[in-house]
Amino acid sequence: MRPTPRAETFPVNTPAASQVFTTVLSQGPLARLEVARRAGLSPAAVTKAVRPLIEAGYLVEDADEAARPALGRPANLVRVDGGRALFIGVKVTGDEIIGVLTDLCCRIRVARHVPLPDRAPKVVLASIADLVKELLAEADGAQARTQDQDPVPVLGLGIAVSGDVDRGEGTVRYSPFLEWRDVPLAELAAMTTGLPVTVDNDVRALTVAEQWFGAGAGLSDFAVVTVGAGIGCGLVVHGRVVAGAHGVAGEIGHVTVDPAGRLCHCGNRGCVEAIAGEAAIVRQIREATGVELADAAEAVALAHRGVAGAREVYARAGEAIGRGIATVANLLGPERVIISGEGLAAYDLFAEQIREAFVAAAFGSAAQCDVLTRPLPFEEWARGAAATAIQSFIRADV
Amino acid sequence: MRPTPRAETFPVNTPAASQVFTTVLSQGPLARLEVARRAGLSPAAVTKAVRPLIEAGYLVEDADEAARPALGRPANLVRVDGGRALFIGVKVTGDEIIGVLTDLCCRIRVARHVPLPDRAPKVVLASIADLVKELLAEADGAQARTQDQDPVPVLGLGIAVSGDVDRGEGTVRYSPFLEWRDVPLAELAAMTTGLPVTVDNDVRALTVAEQWFGAGAGLSDFAVVTVGAGIGCGLVVHGRVVAGAHGVAGEIGHVTVDPAGRLCHCGNRGCVEAIAGEAAIVRQIREATGVELADAAEAVALAHRGVAGAREVYARAGEAIGRGIATVANLLGPERVIISGEGLAAYDLFAEQIREAFVAAAFGSAAQCDVLTRPLPFEEWARGAAATAIQSFIRADV
DNA sequence: AGGGGTTCTTTTCCGTCGTCAATAAAAGAA
DNA sequence: TTCTTTTATTGACGACGGAAAAGAACCCCT
């Protein structure tokens, strides 16, 4: 059985060390000098910050013979030892819970889905506890097979929930999806699992994952747009994820793109989500073609078969998304916008419209913003939760 | 004659001292302990930071007898000595230049408008030089009258220009209004005036003024929306003004609120500016009523007289602005939105529509965002430029 | 008048952190 | 071998900010 986790803490908590670690974590193996440049520190500071991290096993040296320079001493690359620690990320949706076991580099080791019979906090909490137990057992199993000396510790649990979440407090203030209000989830989950728990909004968690381990690595200003059941948006400004003064931020889904458009569940007309959300697309295709659709997959299939009405619905959805992205670009001027989410399964159906609408509605050099897609698996959300746990562990200022 | 300005520099440049100074500057007279609380520092650090600043004359002690507590030692309030230094702020518009002489607290001492005969960089530069000379003479005049010992030094010149401005470089990358491209304005103006020069985008400059000396004081996330010839928006996120990766940010004027709306000069349809910009309003009223209008003032007058068509145009403008503000609130979740600009002369004509549209389009608790108006004089833009100069002088990280 | 209580301010000490400048190390080139 | 070039490390140093305790100013109560 896995021993009660020691309260292992990150060996350093100075600004410089934290910055060095996150730089190495997110920007791959780097020479110390290069780390110094990117983190804005002196080489000496990097050396001094790296040493205790290597001693503690979080970083390892890693000379690469490939990129050896023609001249001068070759660099001693430093990288994070992913196998040094494990984390668990959990994403709670309306009807299932997805959990992943990741290493310190946030690479997914194991993924599990469990159905959620009920949305009451107690039930969800019990399901999370079961899932965590299962993932811990999995971690132990891997342990036993490799016969390592020291057991790899699981150092944190991140939980991602949609809605208004106070990460600092670890509470879910209001989640319309789960019908929760003021649930101190971090505290509860810490009690049942014995792990340090971080709770954050799901889109923000995904954004953290992109910021550190994805297409946002090294950027100080970018946006993540998720296309799926809802349309969400995570924003990174000045290198930090935007949380919003009142818990609301990145609600691109409820940006109005057509005031005469259809009614959205938020009460407004012509929100991006009311045009390009999964439910909206299914409904519109049903209305346009008369075909009864069970889910979004069937809608995609129909459109792929070239049914005109269906294709048009997707085209309009793409236009709405492109406009929404242009709005973000006009307001914030990000370096990059990353489109992701399970809705990308239909990406070929609206890729062109997104781009066209974006370019048309982007003002001036905002159109230079780099828009790219990342077809990420659904576990990515849970991975985002794990990323928040990693972030909390290394005490990076959020 | 005014002597060649000595290269006076701010006596401290540690993060703590900078933070202490900006806290006192923007949040009025404060007790040291209170400064410590607000700046997140120890009381000792504040004492140590304050001393050299008092010695250099930038801060002064200022006991207030009024708010004496019932118990304990009364606080020794600390405030910025506005009279310690002067700054000049200049705002360049299409047809005139506005200059102000301010003190260190950014209070306007003198304001001057001069017409701009031509928009060529050389002409503009010469006009700026003349205006600065005039303001410097004014400063000397005041000097002579008060018979002070030490002449109050003018420590910086801030220039605000609309368009894509690189503040770090001090260059105007592209200003459609002036038809400038890559003009190294800071360098040029520094040569002709002999003052340290800061160049920034006009809306951002105004936002800095609000952040430090206006309704944004002490807030870390807010937006400034300017209503006038154009519709602009300055954003402060995480306590810093958003500049945008490509020089574009806060382009609320080109957020689409009605894709079927009228054509905007940016090439799109239904931008906020195409509905609520000054030119758009004048044109719409002309179309609706058939009355030929010379300028916006006449449009306002017409609407105030209760002419139905004119009122409706303003109502639609208010709706567009309200939607634009809601978009900002949905995306960023600011604590406050400050509406300003010369368009506020007509505020009573669309106040209600702004509020209604904002509340309707704001998602969830984004509607809690505090929306207020600040009827600021036109010199306020120049004051913003002075604020950027002050900011540069005290080396606050922008 | 003289404590006692309360709050603000300052002092002193100290750990720590990051830079500077010099030095060591690891190559290939001459 | 020795020089050049680039990377990494060392050790001294200065400075900064925090903790804790003392000091200061004031009111109130006895």
Side-chain angles (χ1 to χ4, degrees):
Chain A
M1 200 62 251
R2 169 167 291 272
T4 309
R6 299 158 292 164
E8 179 170 338
T9 54
F10 203 55
V12 290
N13 61 352
T14 70
S18 194
Q19 193 144 14
V20 165
F21 190 77
T22 56
T23 304
V24 174
L25 187 59
S26 69
Q27 296 177 55
L30 287 175
R32 287 172 176 76
L33 214 59
E34 186 57 31
V35 175
R37 264 194 291 271
R38 302 201 189 185
L41 295 167
S42 72
V46 174
T47 293
K48 278 187 265 196
V50 161
R51 200 195 330 273
L53 290 170
I54 287 186
E55 273 166 19
Y58 294 105
L59 296 180
V60 288
E61 283 207 324
D62 188 22
D64 74 332
E65 302 300 318
R68 175 157 298 192
L71 221 55
R73 173 178 176 173
N76 262 336
L77 302 191
V78 173
R79 64 174 174 80
V80 173
D81 178 11
R84 172 65 180 77
L86 297 171
F87 291 84
I88 293 176
V90 170
K91 151 86 173 167
V92 181
T93 73
D95 51 7
E96 70 170 347
I97 298 183
I98 303 131
V100 295
L101 181 74
T102 78
D103 63 17
L104 182 55
C105 293
C106 215
R107 284 181 298 239
I108 295 177
R109 296 283 182 91
V110 186
R112 285 269 183 286
H113 295 231
V114 300
L116 193 60
D118 186 342
R119 296 173 189 181
K122 259 190 192 164
V123 179
V124 173
L125 207 63
S127 299
I128 291 176
D130 285 350
L131 185 55
V132 167
K133 207 176 289 173
E134 205 180 318
L135 289 167
L136 287 176
E138 197 76 38
D140 284 333
Q143 197 72 57
R145 280 194 296 280
T146 58
Q147 303 283 344
D148 272 347
Q149 316 286 52
D150 295 332
V152 179
V154 175
L155 295 181
L157 164 62
I159 305 177
V161 179
S162 74
D164 178 1
V165 178
D166 185 328
R167 173 166 171 175
E169 297 283 325
T171 60
V172 178
R173 282 203 293 248
Y174 177 53
S175 172
F177 234 92
L178 294 169
E179 290 164 23
W180 285 9
R181 232 174 237 289
D182 295 314
V183 177
L185 185 55
E187 197 187 323
L188 297 171
M191 290 208 316
T192 57
T193 65
L195 291 169
V197 179
T198 307
V199 176
D200 206 343
N201 168 274
D202 56 351
V203 181
R204 285 203 297 271
L206 187 66
T207 305
V208 169
E210 285 300 298
Q211 181 184 22
W212 278 14
F213 309 106
L219 303 183
S220 65
D221 295 87
F222 70 93
V224 176
V225 174
T226 64
V227 180
I231 314 285
C233 178
L235 300 167
V236 172
V237 178
H238 300 142
R240 292 171 52 193
V241 176
V242 177
H246 305 104
V248 169
E251 284 298 344
I252 197 181
H254 299 284
V255 164
T256 307
V257 292
D258 181 4
R262 56 176 51 234
L263 206 61
C264 176
H265 60 83
C266 79
N268 260 294
R269 289 195 169 277
C271 297
V272 173
E273 197 161 307
I275 298 170
E278 207 167 74
I281 286 179
V282 169
R283 185 160 4 96
Q284 288 174 92
I285 291 184
R286 195 187 299 138
E287 285 168 13
T289 63
V291 181
E292 281 301 316
L293 299 166
D295 58 14
E298 289 185 13
V300 177
L302 204 68
H304 273 157
R305 263 187 276 131
V307 177
R311 291 198 77 98
E312 257 165 44
V313 168
Y314 273 103
R316 277 199 301 273
E319 199 190 326
I321 294 168
R323 270 184 207 278
I325 292 173
T327 300
V328 172
N330 287 345
L331 284 177
L332 293 170
E335 291 165 65
R336 178 174 284 182
V337 175
I338 303 161
I339 306 175
S340 187
E342 66 277 19
L344 283 194
Y347 188 67
D348 58 307
L349 292 168
F350 49 47
E352 207 174 314
Q353 285 81 4
I354 289 180
R355 175 152 294 279
E356 275 172 15
F358 166 73
V359 170
F363 180 72
S365 46
Q368 286 171 23
C369 166
D370 175 25
V371 179
L372 57 86
T373 58
R374 295 248 300 163
L376 301 171
F378 207 65
E379 287 86 30
E380 196 67 16
W381 294 87
R383 182 169 171 252
T388 64
I390 296 173
Q391 203 174 42
S392 295
F393 172 66
I394 68 177
R395 284 199 202 79
D397 46 342
V398 188
Chain B
M1 200 64 249
R2 169 167 292 271
T4 308
R6 299 157 292 164
E8 179 171 339
T9 54
F10 203 57
V12 291
N13 63 351
T14 69
S18 194
Q19 194 144 14
V20 165
F21 190 76
T22 56
T23 304
V24 174
L25 186 60
S26 70
Q27 295 176 56
L30 287 175
R32 289 172 175 76
L33 210 60
E34 188 57 32
V35 175
R37 265 194 289 271
R38 302 202 189 182
L41 294 166
S42 71
V46 174
T47 293
K48 280 186 273 194
V50 162
R51 202 196 326 275
L53 290 170
I54 286 186
E55 274 164 19
Y58 294 104
L59 296 180
V60 288
E61 284 206 322
D62 188 23
D64 75 330
E65 301 300 318
R68 177 156 295 191
L71 223 54
R73 172 178 176 173
N76 261 336
L77 301 191
V78 173
R79 64 175 175 80
V80 173
D81 178 11
R84 173 65 178 77
L86 298 171
F87 292 84
I88 293 177
V90 169
K91 150 85 173 166
V92 182
T93 72
D95 51 5
E96 69 169 348
I97 299 183
I98 302 133
V100 295
L101 180 74
T102 78
D103 64 16
L104 182 54
C105 293
C106 215
R107 284 181 298 238
I108 295 178
R109 296 280 182 94
V110 185
R112 286 271 184 283
H113 294 231
V114 299
L116 194 59
D118 188 340
R119 297 173 188 179
K122 260 193 191 163
V123 179
V124 172
L125 208 63
S127 299
I128 291 176
D130 284 349
L131 185 54
V132 167
K133 207 176 288 174
E134 205 180 319
L135 289 167
L136 286 177
E138 197 77 39
D140 283 334
Q143 198 71 54
R145 279 194 296 282
T146 58
Q147 304 281 346
D148 273 348
Q149 316 286 51
D150 296 332
V152 179
V154 176
L155 295 180
L157 165 63
I159 305 177
V161 177
S162 74
D164 177 0
V165 178
D166 185 326
R167 173 167 171 174
E169 298 283 327
T171 60
V172 177
R173 282 203 292 249
Y174 177 52
S175 172
F177 234 92
L178 294 168
E179 291 165 20
W180 285 10
R181 233 173 237 290
D182 294 314
V183 177
L185 185 55
E187 198 187 321
L188 296 171
M191 290 209 314
T192 57
T193 64
L195 292 169
V197 179
T198 307
V199 175
D200 206 343
N201 169 275
D202 56 352
V203 181
R204 285 204 297 270
L206 187 66
T207 305
V208 169
E210 285 300 298
Q211 181 184 23
W212 277 12
F213 309 105
L219 303 183
S220 65
D221 296 86
F222 70 93
V224 175
V225 174
T226 65
V227 181
I231 314 284
C233 177
L235 300 167
V236 172
V237 178
H238 301 142
R240 291 172 52 193
V241 176
V242 176
H246 307 286
V248 168
E251 284 298 344
I252 196 180
H254 299 284
V255 164
T256 306
V257 293
D258 181 4
R262 58 175 50 234
L263 205 61
C264 177
H265 61 84
C266 78
N268 260 294
R269 289 195 168 277
C271 298
V272 173
E273 198 162 305
I275 298 170
E278 209 167 73
I281 286 180
V282 169
R283 186 164 359 98
Q284 288 173 91
I285 291 183
R286 195 187 300 139
E287 286 168 14
T289 64
V291 180
E292 281 303 318
L293 298 166
D295 59 14
E298 290 185 13
V300 178
L302 204 68
H304 273 156
R305 263 186 276 132
V307 176
R311 291 200 77 97
E312 257 165 43
V313 169
Y314 273 104
R316 278 200 301 273
E319 200 189 325
I321 294 168
R323 270 184 208 278
I325 293 173
T327 300
V328 172
N330 287 344
L331 284 177
L332 293 170
E335 291 166 65
R336 176 174 286 180
V337 175
I338 303 161
I339 306 176
S340 187
E342 66 277 19
L344 283 194
Y347 188 66
D348 58 307
L349 293 168
F350 48 49
E352 207 174 316
Q353 285 82 5
I354 289 180
R355 174 151 295 280
E356 275 172 16
F358 166 72
V359 170
F363 181 73
S365 44
Q368 287 170 22
C369 166
D370 175 23
V371 179
L372 56 85
T373 58
R374 293 248 301 163
L376 300 172
F378 208 63
E379 286 86 30
E380 196 68 15
W381 294 86
R383 184 170 171 249
T388 64
I390 296 173
Q391 203 174 42
S392 295
F393 172 65
I394 67 178
R395 285 201 201 79
D397 47 342
V398 188

